[in-house]
Amino acid sequence: MSEISLEFPDGSKRQFEAGASAKDVAQSIAISLAKKAVAGKLDGKLINLNAPINNDGKIEIVTKDSEDGLAVLRSTVALLAKVSLKEIFSDIRFGEDSGDAEGLYIDTDKDDGQVSADDLEAISTKIQSFVDKKTELKHESVSKADALKKLADSKFEAQLVQDSENTSFDFYTVDGVEVLNNGVAFENAGDVKFFRLLSVAGAYFEGKSSNDMLQRIYGTAFYKQAALDDDLKARQEARERDHRVIGNDLDLFFVDPKAGAGLPYWMPNGATIRRTIERYVIDKEVADGYKHVYTPVLANLDLYKTSGHWAHYRDDMFPPMDMGDGEMLELRPMNCPSHIQIYNHHIRSYRELPLRIAELGMMHRYEKSGALSGLQRVREMTLNDGHTFVTLDQVQDEFKKILTLIMDVYNDFNITDYTFRLSYRDPVNTAKYFDDDEMWNRSQSMLKGAMDDLGLDYYEAEGEAAFYGPKLDIQTKTALGNDETMSTIQLDFMLPQQFDLSYIGADGEKHRPVMIHRGIVGTMERFIAYLTEIYKGAFPTWLAPKQVTIIPVSDDKHGDYAESLRKKFAAADVRVDVDHRGEKMNYLIRDAQTHKIPYTLVVGDQEKANNAVSVRKYGEQDSNSMSADAFLSEVLGDIENYSRADK
């Protein structure tokens, strides 16, 4: 029998008989490895554990304790879910399905209503029956032509196969039911351990809003019960912090796909939070020497061709609008070309530099429907954007000044968990970057030098730069522990050259400025999503849409006093209302706590007689009495100090 040569991850090679499987390879190394093995990986592609290997290649053994091992388990559960669905619903059709390190899902469609959350228990019971019976999963790999024949009555799967570049497709037969499976699976259902079907939600076929809406079933699976329990606990925490859920509960914003996916509508509560942040940011920037401007959200396409956005960023831009007379208008994807127009409107002198221009600038990104998520991934966003034009010898001082401003803002919002990342050009794959090696070397050295001068810890990441220059990314930790870029400072020698920017130097000659791009808190949408999840909806007093609610014990007897307090507090710019609903006191207090209002005041006979209030803070059980003036002083101090006890 002929032999094949397999290379292991450490570079060593061994000979095996043609037709040997990944399991055979694992057993030849160690029995313990074979027991942990769930699949193989040949030349980087997952293969079934017992699939015959007939060609030379690079082999890896996939074990339960790896991400690929989890993917195999979850792919198997997805497969069993499809079989279960077929046995329960005769008219079921499938779209995409996936099992990977993130979890699993199956897209479904049927004639008589969609699969609902109420059906998950029955589906889970059916899956468990296959596990308990250790049902065999019979695998067959077929050609594209044969796959299309098998899927003649499954239009979505047939479309996926038709569009695929693969030449073979995997089908599994379980309990006499045959289904297409997109991943590698076990050969026996008994190897499945702990799983949970989690939820259902609508999902467009292939993530395109122009396609049919299918019903997606989400789930997960693990090899150990403790791991599943931890995951479910983390998912519950994520749900409790999910800005989309909180946004709905507190009436902050909504997105209606019928009106436009990825286009948030800000309700009064959410608009109040956003307006407070915007005013704060503008005041901070103006105090720091920035000139705030307004610029159009539309521009001639030629502007973005000059800037390089059209060449490097076209896939993320909306299609140009043909005005019929040769003019092509484009929704702007970035604000920098607009601020360059502000700079270029006048002849500039070295005495004007640094020239700091800032704007809460609206931008648009061509995001596919499947990528959209609440406020975090949207098609229209408002960026806290700024651009500083400096001389070469001002670069490092201005960089430090911007970073100081960012740190000051972080302190006011009590953002403490962050790291600094210097993002460089990929030195190997340079095609997607502006072609000027000298510029890149100089600007990357200047960024690194500024950070070294400040004595700040940072790490370096190649391939994370903007197409026009390197940047400092400030990576914050989200409420769930994920890294997210909050703020950036970017050096740019390219755009001043592309737009032929200049200033008149002390020598009377023209010189080229350097442009520094910076975002203090990123987009309003993403920043508010971040804060909502960090605060779990319990916004500090200065940000809370409603800071104080006043509850009269009896609206007839104490309503007028409550209204007099409201007017007094409102005159001092406190966001306050009176709850006139006349419901039971415990219900109204509980409702105020549910809506996470920082201060709930109760006023009755004693409070009215003494010009006092009974104060209950959010999250506390006890109330205390104080004069109305003393309370007003306390809440104003709370707001002035950005709700920071250490200020």
Side-chain angles (χ1 to χ4, degrees):
M1 183 176 284
S2 61
E3 290 191 332
I4 55 173
S5 175
L6 297 179
E7 181 180 339
F8 292 90
D10 64 359
S12 63
K13 294 181 180 180
R14 286 179 58 185
Q15 304 295 313
F16 292 88
E17 288 187 357
S21 66
K23 186 173 184 178
D24 295 329
V25 174
Q27 286 177 331
S28 74
I29 298 171
I31 297 299
S32 58
L33 178 62
K35 288 181 178 180
K36 293 192 295 182
V38 294
K41 215 170 186 180
L42 186 65
D43 293 331
K45 183 179 179 181
L46 280 171
I47 59 173
N48 284 309
L49 188 61
N50 285 309
I53 302 172
N54 295 305
N55 299 303
D56 298 345
K58 294 182 178 181
I59 185 74
E60 296 177 55
I61 304 302
V62 176
T63 57
K64 298 175 182 178
D65 55 0
S66 67
E67 286 194 357
D68 284 330
L70 270 180
V72 173
L73 169 62
R74 291 166 179 172
S75 178
T76 304
V77 175
L79 185 160
L80 293 173
K82 291 176 74 171
V83 173
S84 300
L85 284 159
K86 266 197 165 186
E87 292 199 353
I88 296 170
F89 304 107
S90 59
D91 60 342
I92 198 78
R93 292 179 294 274
F94 300 114
E96 296 174 291
D97 62 79
S98 175
D100 56 28
E102 299 301 317
L104 66 95
Y105 68 80
I106 311 102
D107 287 347
T108 67
D109 186 48
K110 62 192 192 73
D111 299 326
D112 186 20
Q114 295 287 21
V115 175
S116 73
D118 293 337
D119 298 317
L120 297 183
E121 184 176 353
I123 301 166
S124 299
T125 299
K126 192 68 180 175
I127 294 172
Q128 189 63 50
S129 73
F130 294 135
V131 174
D132 293 341
K133 291 186 293 185
K134 298 183 178 180
T135 307
E136 183 183 2
L137 281 60
K138 299 177 182 177
H139 171 251
E140 180 186 16
S141 183
V142 303
S143 67
K144 176 177 283 192
D146 287 340
L148 289 172
K149 289 178 183 177
K150 289 176 178 288
L151 299 171
D153 296 325
S154 184
K155 64 177 182 179
F156 300 114
E157 288 181 303
Q159 185 65 52
L160 292 169
V161 169
Q162 186 66 56
D163 295 342
S164 174
E165 295 180 357
N166 294 341
T167 56
S168 64
F169 298 86
D170 295 318
F171 285 79
Y172 287 80
T173 301
V174 181
D175 198 30
V177 177
E178 185 178 56
V179 293
L180 173 69
N181 190 54
N182 290 324
V184 168
F186 298 148
E187 293 192 341
N188 192 292
D191 292 327
V192 170
K193 299 304 179 185
F194 306 98
F195 70 92
R196 180 72 61 87
L197 298 184
L198 300 166
S199 60
V200 297
Y204 289 110
F205 177 55
E206 295 187 310
K208 299 175 183 176
S209 58
S210 57
N211 287 345
D212 291 342
M213 174 70 79
L214 307 182
Q215 187 79 321
R216 178 166 291 181
I217 301 171
Y218 290 96
T220 192
F222 289 89
Y223 289 102
K224 295 181 179 179
Q225 181 68 53
L228 176 60
D229 291 342
D230 289 344
D231 182 73
L232 295 175
K233 183 178 179 181
R235 288 176 186 273
Q236 179 60 29
E237 175 69 11
R239 175 168 174 76
E240 291 175 0
R241 291 187 180 273
D242 190 329
H243 77 279
R244 295 166 298 181
V245 175
I246 295 171
N248 181 66
D249 291 344
L250 300 185
D251 202 23
L252 304 182
F253 73 96
F254 70 89
V255 178
D256 184 353
K258 294 179 181 177
L263 303 171
Y265 286 76
W266 294 86
M267 298 299 286
N269 286 343
T272 298
I273 296 169
R274 174 171 170 169
R275 184 170 60 251
T276 302
I277 294 171
E278 289 177 344
R279 287 173 176 172
Y280 164 87
V281 165
I282 291 173
D283 289 346
K284 279 283 188 184
E285 290 176 336
V286 169
D288 213 45
Y290 285 86
K291 310 295 184 185
H292 258 262
V293 299
Y294 294 100
T295 58
V297 297
L298 286 170
N300 193 298
L301 180 61
D302 290 341
L303 195 66
Y304 301 112
K305 289 182 177 179
T306 301
S307 70
H309 287 98
W310 186 246
H312 294 274
Y313 204 72
R314 186 183 310 181
D315 290 345
D316 295 310
M317 297 170 64
F318 279 93
M321 291 170 270
D322 189 343
M323 304 309 292
D325 55 0
E327 183 183 24
M328 302 292 286
L329 292 180
E330 177 66 34
L331 283 167
R332 69 175 171 197
M334 297 286 188
N335 299 312
C336 25
S338 301
H339 291 183
I340 286 172
Q341 299 306 302
I342 296 285
Y343 179 91
N344 239 2
H345 188 62
H346 297 299
I347 296 173
R348 302 294 180 178
S349 163
Y350 72 96
R351 294 185 179 90
E352 297 178 72
L353 307 185
L355 178 61
R356 305 179 183 98
I357 298 171
E359 179 179 12
L360 292 168
M362 185 179 291
M363 310 183 307
H364 294 81
R365 302 281 174 84
Y366 187 82
E367 295 274 13
K368 293 186 177 180
S369 298
L372 300 171
S373 177
L375 296 177
Q376 289 176 325
R377 292 290 293 271
V378 293
R379 287 173 171 155
E380 179 184 273
M381 65 221 70
T382 299
L383 179 64
N384 159 227
D385 211 355
H387 297 89
T388 303
F389 300 87
V390 297
T391 64
L392 189 60
D393 59 1
Q394 293 172 336
V395 167
Q396 291 197 343
D397 284 343
E398 187 64 20
F399 176 90
K400 296 172 187 177
K401 182 178 176 65
I402 294 169
L403 188 52
T404 299
L405 174 61
I406 292 173
M407 296 299 95
D408 188 31
V409 171
Y410 279 22
N411 183 57
D412 287 343
F413 283 95
N414 199 22
I415 299 170
T416 58
D417 195 356
Y418 54 85
T419 55
F420 298 111
R421 182 182 76 188
L422 288 182
S423 299
Y424 300 150
R425 175 182 66 162
D426 185 338
V428 177
N429 180 21
T430 60
K432 64 179 181 177
Y433 302 101
F434 180 64
D435 186 16
D436 187 332
D437 290 341
E438 181 183 354
M439 179 277 286
W440 280 99
N441 292 335
R442 180 200 296 178
S443 54
Q444 289 179 178
S445 295
M446 294 180 83
L447 266 186
K448 182 174 172 58
M451 291 298 288
D452 289 339
D453 286 348
L454 290 167
L456 295 172
D457 293 330
Y458 60 87
Y459 66 99
E460 298 166 299
E462 293 180 341
E464 295 294 337
F467 73 84
Y468 49 75
K471 56 181 177 169
L472 170 70
D473 289 320
I474 303 179
Q475 302 295 108
T476 57
K477 288 286 187 184
T478 68
L480 300 177
N482 300 316
D483 276 339
E484 183 175 277
T485 301
M486 177 76 72
S487 311
T488 61
I489 309 174
Q490 306 172 9
L491 296 190
D492 186 355
F493 291 81
M494 184 200 86
L495 288 182
Q497 177 179 320
Q498 294 291 92
F499 284 92
D500 195 25
L501 301 186
S502 65
Y503 66 90
I504 305 301
D507 58 2
E509 300 296 324
K510 284 186 175 182
H511 299 269
R512 186 85 69 204
V514 179
M515 188 174 176
I516 303 177
H517 308 244
R518 44 104 290 194
I520 304 299
V521 296
T523 68
M524 289 297 106
E525 290 76 9
R526 179 167 283 192
F527 187 53
I528 292 172
Y530 165 83
L531 292 178
T532 301
E533 296 185 352
I534 286 289
Y535 298 141
K536 214 170 182 177
F539 290 93
T541 306
W542 76 283
L543 284 176
K546 187 185 297 181
Q547 295 164 329
V548 178
T549 188
I550 306 172
I551 304 174
V553 174
S554 167
D555 203 44
D556 291 338
K557 294 180 181 180
H558 314 115
D560 289 344
Y561 175 58
E563 279 295 331
S564 69
L565 292 175
R566 184 193 64 77
K567 291 177 182 178
K568 180 177 183 175
F569 297 163
D573 290 330
V574 176
R575 294 189 287 273
V576 56
D577 75 352
V578 177
D579 194 329
H580 288 294
R581 288 179 291 173
E583 301 284 350
K584 290 182 178 180
M585 183 61 58
N586 287 341
Y587 169 80
L588 296 178
I589 292 173
R590 188 167 58 251
D591 190 58
Q593 295 285 300
T594 299
H595 287 88
K596 305 186 180 184
I597 299 170
Y599 293 95
T600 300
L601 308 184
V602 176
V603 294
D605 290 338
Q606 187 173 352
E607 287 77 22
K608 182 177 180 180
N610 296 312
N611 193 28
V613 291
S614 177
V615 183
R616 179 171 174 172
K617 293 182 180 179
Y618 171 74
E620 297 183 2
Q621 296 297 320
D622 298 329
S623 301
N624 65 85
S625 183
M626 65 175 67
S627 71
D629 288 341
F631 170 74
L632 180 58
S633 178
E634 178 179 317
V635 75
L636 289 177
D638 190 0
I639 294 168
E640 183 180 357
N641 293 330
Y642 304 111
S643 306
R644 295 289 306 279
D646 56 344
K647 284 202 170 190

